[in-house]
Amino acid sequence: MLVFKFGGASVKNAVSVKNLFSILNKYTDNQIIVVVSAMGKITSALESILDKYFNKSDFKSDFDILKNFHLDIISELFEDDYSDIYSDFNLLISELENRLSINPSSSYDYEYDQIVSFGEIFSTKIVSEYLKFMHIKNEWIDIRKFLKTDSIYRDAKINWELSERLLKNEIDFTQQKIYLTQGFIASNQNNNVTTLGREGSDFTAAVLAYVFDAEKLIIWKDVEGVFNSDPNEYKDVIKLDSISFTEAVELAYYGAKIIHPKTIKPLQNKNIVLEVKSFKNPEKQGTIISNSTENNLGVSPNVPIYIAKNNQILISIAPRDFSFIAEENLSNIFYVLAKYRVKVNLLQNSAVSFSICVDYDKNKVDAALSELNQDYKVLYNLNLTLITIRHYDSEIINEMTNKRKIFVQQKSRHTARFVVD
Ligand code: ASP
Ligand code: MG
């Protein structure tokens, strides 16, 4: 069987939903689970409705925009006399409206999951009904009933054993060939909705691929695959034909926005091939991510891969009494970083100071800095960029660091990293 994942950009309007149909229409002989995200930028729109709801300000016009966005797509997709989707959608929208009419609980993260999860419910209902309308038989699955997690709202962890059992019980391909379901959302023991973190639909698709021993997971995107750098930022980028799982994990870790970092593990564990390919050009081979690649770098073609991560802060931390940076200091520093969920992108230490480069997420980082300031002398530089170059050569290093002030550099056999202004 196959698992397909369609992200927000692939269902951002009626034309793209029709395109999804035409892709799926070529695969109707296969057993497929289709995972769909919220339409277009709906997750962000729901986030801003949630913020207003939670802070008791007026979200009526945002709500109307959200509702009409979906209704416009529906009316473009269906003939007027097709009533099922209208009644289904109206029920869902009033469910959301009702939720938003009661006072929020005190937990923002809990409210987030209950409300933002509607995006995926709307999109999958519309897509499923449209496929039926176009005579592709499919079953809409409410994944909230089968994908079970802990109760860490907005960052829930999968209960693998339970989910596997429930999913296999529900999806068996005896009656149906195509199942259609939501990415990103799940539920906990009490059947409250949970979510897996922004961009979590890739991960849902990987979980389903794992559970059902898929031959392949295809992530359909608006780009033709994985490139050696961000096509939106750089010219002359090269599409990679194949990369290894290890390479993919490294790239995700260094900040390449290809796929959600959590996605790789379930696939790698069962050796399930992942293909990233374009929904605009579905005939064209995308990037294959698997255990094998032709060359020993794990990348084909054999080219340097470079990633620039902006909005970095470089922090240097030194004991106030000029004592050495030793294990106790380090464990204390990491304790504070973990406490505020500050993720370290790069670190370097000398005898008397310790430097880290992290994403400048103001709330978290400022809180961590003020705590560290109590015991250490803390200095920092803002607005830096962290450049990572895999499989580097001197030419690409020059190109990337040219005329920039280098604050930190590190090179290992395959990877060169620079913190620059
Ligand atoms: N809709 C969610 C988001 O935009 C999940 C996803 O698309 O992967 O983050
Ligand atoms: Mg998305």
Side-chain angles (χ1 to χ4, degrees):
M1 59 83 68
L2 303 169
V3 178
F4 284 2
K5 185 262 175 170
F6 288 94
S10 65
V11 286
K12 66 173 186 206
N13 53 32
V15 173
S16 47
V17 175
K18 289 178 182 173
N19 180 59
L20 185 159
F21 156 77
S22 71
I23 291 175
L24 217 51
N25 207 21
K26 298 193 186 90
Y27 289 91
T28 45
D29 289 340
N30 296 269
Q31 298 181 334
I32 311 182
I33 303 178
V34 182
V35 174
V36 181
S37 302
M39 296 179 139
K41 303 260 180 277
I42 287 300
T43 302
S44 302
L46 281 161
E47 283 181 349
S48 89
I49 290 176
L50 166 82
D51 282 350
K52 290 182 180 164
Y53 164 69
F54 199 74
N55 297 315
K56 305 218 162 56
S57 41
D58 183 23
F59 53 81
K60 174 134 190 11
S61 65
D62 307 65
F63 186 85
D64 290 341
I65 291 171
L66 175 104
K67 180 174 164 183
N68 291 330
F69 171 88
H70 289 95
L71 281 174
D72 287 347
I73 293 178
I74 291 172
S75 71
E76 220 180 307
L77 287 173
F78 299 93
E79 286 160 22
D80 289 344
D81 59 356
Y82 188 83
S83 60
D84 271 14
I85 186 61
Y86 287 100
S87 56
D88 285 359
F89 181 74
N90 284 332
L91 268 178
L92 290 169
I93 214 69
S94 30
E95 202 185 308
L96 175 60
E97 208 163 9
N98 290 340
R99 265 223 93 89
L100 293 168
S101 68
I102 54 175
N103 276 333
S105 68
S106 58
S107 164
Y108 179 85
D109 290 352
Y110 165 81
E111 295 296 343
Y112 182 103
D113 287 0
Q114 311 319 303
I115 287 160
V116 175
S117 54
F118 272 88
E120 269 68 14
I121 302 292
F122 294 150
S123 68
T124 52
K125 265 285 170 209
I126 295 170
V127 173
S128 172
E129 287 300 328
Y130 180 67
L131 294 176
K132 277 185 203 158
F133 179 65
M134 298 299 286
H135 310 293
I136 295 188
K137 226 175 127 225
N138 71 93
E139 187 173 330
W140 183 83
I141 296 283
D142 184 345
I143 199 111
R144 294 171 297 186
K145 295 191 185 137
F146 313 105
L147 192 60
K148 303 302 282 185
T149 66
D150 64 12
S151 298
I152 310 293
Y153 295 106
R154 296 182 69 187
D155 193 18
K157 302 284 165 298
I158 307 276
N159 178 336
W160 284 88
E161 231 167 279
L162 180 57
S163 302
E164 182 149 4
R165 187 151 45 80
L166 295 171
L167 283 163
K168 282 190 165 151
N169 219 355
E170 181 65 17
I171 297 180
D172 56 14
F173 295 104
T174 52
Q175 306 281 325
Q176 284 291 337
K177 282 211 178 116
I178 297 182
Y179 289 90
L180 192 129
T181 196
Q182 308 79 34
F184 177 57
I185 69 176
S187 76
N188 68 6
Q189 228 180 358
N190 307 324
N191 301 320
N192 290 323
V193 186
T194 54
T195 65
L196 309 175
R198 283 300 308 257
E199 305 300 329
S201 295
D202 289 354
F203 181 53
T204 304
V207 171
L208 293 170
Y210 179 95
V211 167
F212 292 98
D213 292 303
E215 280 146 53
K216 195 179 198 178
L217 163 59
I218 302 183
I219 297 187
W220 298 91
K221 294 189 80 106
D222 55 0
V223 289
E224 275 170 10
V226 179
F227 289 78
N228 72 327
S229 193
D230 186 347
N232 297 320
E233 296 278 335
Y234 298 96
K235 290 185 298 206
D236 304 327
V237 294
I238 297 165
K239 194 190 94 195
L240 304 172
D241 300 329
S242 63
I243 59 176
S244 65
F245 284 123
T246 314
E247 189 69 32
V249 169
E250 294 280 359
L251 296 182
Y253 175 78
Y254 291 129
K257 292 176 226 107
I258 29 165
I259 25 180
H260 196 287
K262 285 194 285 194
T263 310
I264 301 298
K265 185 172 183 284
L267 302 175
Q268 194 277 339
N269 287 178
K270 280 202 178 170
N271 204 0
I272 298 165
V273 172
L274 167 62
E275 182 172 357
V276 177
K277 69 192 262 156
S278 166
F279 59 75
K280 295 175 184 161
N281 201 350
E283 305 302 327
K284 194 161 174 188
Q285 167 94 56
T287 299
I288 302 285
I289 304 170
S290 67
N291 271 331
S292 61
T293 50
E294 296 111 64
N295 65 59
N296 57 11
L297 289 181
V299 184
S300 149
N302 197 336
V303 289
I305 300 176
Y306 44 100
I307 301 150
K309 223 168 183 255
N310 295 325
N311 192 29
Q312 299 293 299
I313 174 172
L314 181 66
I315 306 165
S316 100
I317 304 159
R320 288 196 181 278
D321 59 2
F322 211 72
S323 61
F324 292 128
I325 278 277
E327 282 69 22
E328 304 84 75
N329 304 117
L330 289 177
S331 92
N332 174 242
I333 292 167
F334 275 106
Y335 171 81
V336 175
L337 295 174
K339 179 170 160 191
Y340 296 100
R341 288 167 168 262
V342 174
K343 195 178 141 276
V344 176
N345 294 326
L346 172 142
L347 51 89
Q348 182 146 300
N349 70 321
S350 73
V352 292
S353 89
F354 178 64
S355 304
I356 55 169
C357 178
V358 307
D359 295 347
Y360 187 49
D361 179 335
K362 191 171 178 359
N363 290 332
K364 292 180 189 168
V365 174
D366 288 0
L369 288 185
S370 78
E371 185 157 337
L372 287 169
N373 232 325
Q374 294 165 13
D375 296 319
Y376 302 92
K377 187 168 165 226
V378 179
L379 301 169
Y380 59 83
N381 288 83
L382 282 166
N383 282 325
L384 302 180
T385 299
L386 173 61
I387 294 172
T388 301
I389 310 172
R390 299 268 299 157
H391 319 299
Y392 58 86
D393 55 30
S394 51
E395 198 183 321
I396 183 74
I397 289 181
N398 288 340
E399 211 175 292
M400 296 296 290
T401 58
N402 187 20
K403 296 197 185 109
R404 301 178 88 160
K405 182 171 170 201
I406 298 176
F407 288 76
V408 178
Q409 57 177 307
Q410 285 179 357
K411 279 185 197 167
S412 62
R413 206 148 61 90
H414 292 306
T415 310
R417 312 188 72 198
F418 302 89
V419 180
V420 299
D421 63 0

